[in-house]
Amino acid sequence: MGFLRQATRHLFFTGKGGVGKTSLSTAAALALADSGQSVLLVSTDAASNLDEMLGIELRNTPTPVPGAHGLFVLNIDPDNAAESYRQRVLAQMAAGAASEAELSTVREQLSGACTTEIASFDEFASLLSDGAADFDHIVFDTAPTGHTLRLLSLPKAWSGFLDGNDRGASCLGPHSGLKMQETRFKAALEALSDPTRTTVVLVTRPDKGAIAEAARTSEELHALGLDNQRLAINGVFRASDATDAVACAIEALGRQALVEMPASLRALPQDSVPLRAFDMVGLPALRALLGDADAPSPPVEPVASETTASLQGLDALADELATADRGLIMVMGKGGVGKTTVAAALALGLLQRGKTVHLSTTDPAAHLSATLEGEVEGLRVDRIDPKAETQRYVDKIMAARSPGLDAQEQALLLEDLQSPCTEEVAVFHAFSRIVSEARSAFVVLDTAPTGHSLLLMDATGAYHRQMVREFEGHGNARVVTPLMRLQDAAYTRIILVTLPEVTPVSQAAALQDDLRRAGIEPYAWVLNKSVLAAGTRDPLLAARLAGERKQMERMSTGLARRIFTLPWLTRPPIGFAELSKLVSEGSSTPAAAT
């Protein structure tokens, strides 16, 4: 692979959720370690599945990988990073003779959700600037694109915010305390922008949506000064039997997507990785992933197709949801499992059944418009735009507080509100507004990939605890927080989307556990891209079918209360017509081949 032949010290793997960033980044780190290099593999994704792939417990300190000499793994854990950050800021203040009252104020400032995100970024910046000096290479397995772009933009944002600013306080504590980070942030920005030190590997699949996102990401990275980019096309499939209609259709879809690739991506150096029959779990599989692309797939005995008579499709789920008159439908899951497709289809299904529907998304990557391909009469569609919400929040705070402040104090308040962490607070307020709308209509929410959704849930929980404390001792006063609405099974239905593979099912199960700890019970699971109904004879797809059977059994024996299935479609579920087919009454389960 080209990204290995002349590997820079820093390798970033980024792309749309589900394209295989973790698999490729881990395989690359393993290959470098096998060649005699000392390598640190870093996960910046709160929902990383590196532990399952490598069979080790992830920690926030470099951990050696058994069986892979020279390879160490580090997970940037948001909670640990936030606590470490708090202690460091408070210790420096105490050393500067800060009073107990001042320390107490800063502790409160550092309790917000934005501190968690920026503290994670602080550890990331450390690795780019003055940390991990003992390693030849640092390979970053990043969160899905939207959040990675925010992470990579933060060195520039914070460097600009801190430049010449040593007054006031933000949600990260006093600006004078933040000055200690300024040198690190600028060093991180320099490392990211240096093509001799940093390479960004844009990972995609031969899929129209994934390629479009890779192109957008490439442009935004260029705007940030990250110009040393490569394109890795993962999961390239070639049919082995020209008479197998399903396999040939899947190959044709991928080939067409690559033919239509934007010129900006086509100009980048490229690597191609074939679709493999095996799950990316364990060192042998990871070492085989980057093997010879022309090597034949392992022989697999053909597997007979399953009957689909007992499988329920999205139409059945839409029927169940439509028995209510209103409510919040939150579609959640790992990046790339098809959340946006499921959310859009369910919104159309409810609309077809005579309901008033608002379809929105919390995902910065915002794929809804591309999935719907145009406006739908009667369906309100929008997204939580971080920039717009931040401006709305800043305007609101300024309007509320400015009347009691002089001109200098107003300028200082506005300066404080320009900090990057303000965006996290603003997004949470927008999320709360959308949740409350479900009191009178259906709201279908396409959430960000798991890791960031969990951070949003953390913010929801923190707000709930704050409101409960404030209303204590107020007699009959009653507060209804967003968390309470999410916990109300009559108000909120959580739909978990997964793929029929080991890792996505494990991550959906872990997400379900996290939700249950917050008192939120998922309503149903949707198994996307099922090959049970395909009827294919292709040996590679047949091997995936055998793996799917195992995951279906795993889901049905304790994980999911309800399971609905969306087949592996040979026509992309994009646009009103194709999405509507998935939820038309009586359509369960739609044929995979058309």
Side-chain angles (χ1 to χ4, degrees):
M1 294 294 160
F3 53 75
L4 291 176
R5 282 194 288 273
Q6 293 181 319
T8 53
R9 183 164 192 265
H10 305 129
L11 284 172
F12 280 89
F13 287 79
T14 188
K16 187 177 186 291
V19 295
K21 297 182 300 296
T22 300
S23 298
L24 288 187
S25 60
T26 306
L30 182 58
L32 290 170
D34 287 345
S35 71
Q37 305 291 303
S38 177
V39 184
L40 179 62
L41 176 60
V42 180
S43 172
T44 67
D45 189 350
S48 174
N49 59 310
L50 274 174
D51 52 351
E52 185 170 22
M53 292 176 66
L54 294 173
I56 62 172
E57 180 181 353
L58 295 181
R59 297 186 178 90
N60 61 343
T61 56
T63 303
V65 178
H69 180 73
L71 178 59
F72 293 75
V73 178
L74 168 66
N75 180 49
I76 298 181
D77 179 85
D79 292 332
N80 288 336
E83 181 57 28
S84 175
Y85 185 90
R86 281 189 285 267
Q87 294 303 322
R88 189 163 63 252
V89 171
L90 292 170
Q92 290 211 357
M93 289 185 63
S99 68
E100 183 55 40
E102 290 172 326
L103 291 173
S104 178
T105 298
V106 171
R107 285 192 192 96
E108 181 64 26
Q109 291 169 343
L110 295 176
S111 64
C114 59
T115 301
T116 301
E117 185 205 45
I118 307 302
S120 296
F121 151 72
D122 185 52
E123 289 201 11
F124 160 76
S126 173
L127 293 171
L128 288 171
S129 55
D130 54 6
D134 295 336
F135 294 95
D136 298 316
H137 297 281
I138 307 176
V139 179
F140 290 89
D141 167 37
T142 70
T145 306
H147 306 293
T148 296
L149 285 171
R150 175 161 169 78
L151 180 71
L152 295 178
S153 70
L154 285 171
K156 189 173 184 178
W158 275 107
S159 295
F161 177 68
L162 293 174
D163 191 23
N165 180 2
D166 58 3
R167 304 170 300 160
S170 72
C171 63
L172 299 183
H175 295 169
S176 57
L178 279 171
K179 279 293 185 179
M180 66 185 180
Q181 311 298 103
E182 187 171 11
T183 301
R184 176 183 292 179
F185 293 170
K186 288 184 176 179
L189 180 59
E190 290 174 2
L192 286 171
S193 304
D194 185 349
T196 67
R197 287 190 281 171
T198 299
T199 302
V200 179
V201 181
L202 298 164
V203 183
T204 186
R205 284 187 179 268
D207 169 82
K208 180 180 178 181
I211 290 173
E213 179 156 330
R216 288 192 298 269
T217 303
S218 178
E219 293 173 4
E220 294 195 43
L221 290 173
H222 281 305
L224 292 172
L226 279 72
D227 297 323
N228 188 19
Q229 302 174 16
R230 296 188 65 90
L231 182 67
I233 306 168
N234 188 33
V236 176
F237 173 71
R238 296 185 179 91
S240 59
D241 183 350
T243 65
D244 189 323
V246 172
C248 290
I250 293 172
E251 179 183 352
L253 279 175
R255 190 188 313 113
Q256 184 64 27
L258 295 177
V259 166
E260 297 173 354
M261 180 185 295
S264 59
L265 284 187
R266 197 178 301 282
L268 295 177
Q270 294 183 18
D271 299 292
S272 181
V273 182
L275 182 68
R276 301 297 190 182
F278 43 84
D279 287 319
M280 292 301 129
V281 177
L283 296 183
L286 291 165
R287 286 188 168 108
L289 176 59
L290 299 181
D292 184 0
D294 295 322
S297 300
V300 180
E301 289 297 322
V303 180
S305 295
E306 290 274 343
T307 176
T308 61
S310 62
L311 300 180
Q312 294 190 94
L314 286 189
D315 63 313
L317 177 54
D319 286 341
E320 285 192 19
L321 297 175
T323 58
D325 294 324
R326 50 98 182 125
L328 175 66
I329 313 298
M330 285 186 67
V331 183
M332 305 183 70
K334 181 181 183 294
V337 296
K339 296 184 303 297
T340 302
T341 296
V342 172
L346 289 176
L348 292 178
L350 290 169
L351 189 69
Q352 290 172 359
R353 289 158 177 78
K355 306 298 181 180
T356 301
V357 186
H358 175 195
L359 173 61
S360 189
T361 181
T362 66
D363 190 347
H367 306 297
L368 277 179
S369 58
T371 299
L372 287 169
E373 283 194 333
E375 296 183 1
V376 177
E377 185 178 355
L379 178 64
R380 177 186 167 197
V381 182
D382 60 22
R383 71 184 184 99
I384 296 178
D385 183 331
K387 291 184 179 179
E389 294 300 338
T390 299
Q391 188 59 52
R392 185 205 299 247
Y393 179 78
V394 169
D395 292 344
K396 178 181 177 181
I397 297 299
M398 291 299 297
R401 297 185 184 178
S402 290
L405 303 176
D406 60 30
Q408 184 177 0
E409 290 170 330
Q410 288 181 19
L412 181 58
L413 174 60
L414 182 59
E415 191 174 74
D416 291 340
L417 289 171
Q418 302 307 313
S419 75
C421 64
T422 300
E423 181 178 304
E424 294 302 306
V425 179
V427 168
F428 167 71
H429 280 271
F431 170 72
S432 299
R433 287 198 308 272
I434 285 183
V435 168
S436 68
E437 286 184 23
R439 290 177 296 175
S440 57
F442 273 104
V443 175
V444 180
L445 196 58
D446 168 35
T447 69
T450 301
H452 197 75
S453 291
L454 289 177
L455 292 178
L456 185 60
M457 289 295 181
D458 287 343
T460 305
Y463 177 80
H464 171 78
R465 291 187 292 274
Q466 178 186 342
M467 289 297 99
V468 170
R469 285 196 302 270
E470 291 185 5
F471 275 78
E472 282 180 349
H474 283 67
N476 294 326
R478 183 172 182 269
V479 59
V480 178
T481 67
L483 179 62
M484 294 166 68
R485 297 195 192 280
L486 298 182
Q487 292 170 332
D488 183 354
Y491 190 96
T492 300
R493 305 283 176 87
I494 303 289
I495 311 298
L496 299 183
V497 185
T498 187
L499 298 176
E501 301 168 14
V502 174
T503 297
V505 172
S506 294
Q507 290 201 326
L511 172 58
Q512 180 166 260
D513 290 341
D514 286 328
L515 291 170
R516 284 173 172 169
R517 280 191 286 273
I520 302 169
E521 182 63 34
Y523 178 78
W525 286 42
V526 171
L527 182 68
N528 191 23
K529 295 189 177 180
S530 166
V531 297
L532 286 175
T536 179
R537 299 181 304 277
D538 185 89
L540 191 151
L541 296 181
R544 297 174 68 90
L545 173 58
E548 178 178 334
R549 284 175 170 163
K550 294 179 182 178
Q551 298 311 311
M552 284 286 287
E553 181 178 354
R554 179 182 173 195
M555 292 167 58
S556 61
T557 54
L559 282 182
R561 297 171 58 190
R562 298 174 179 82
I563 302 175
F564 299 87
T565 305
L566 185 59
W568 188 336
L569 303 167
T570 55
R571 290 179 64 89
I574 295 174
F576 174 80
E578 294 301 324
L579 288 167
S580 295
K581 291 178 183 177
L582 306 180
V583 289
S584 297
E585 295 183 74
S587 65
S588 187
T589 295
T594 57

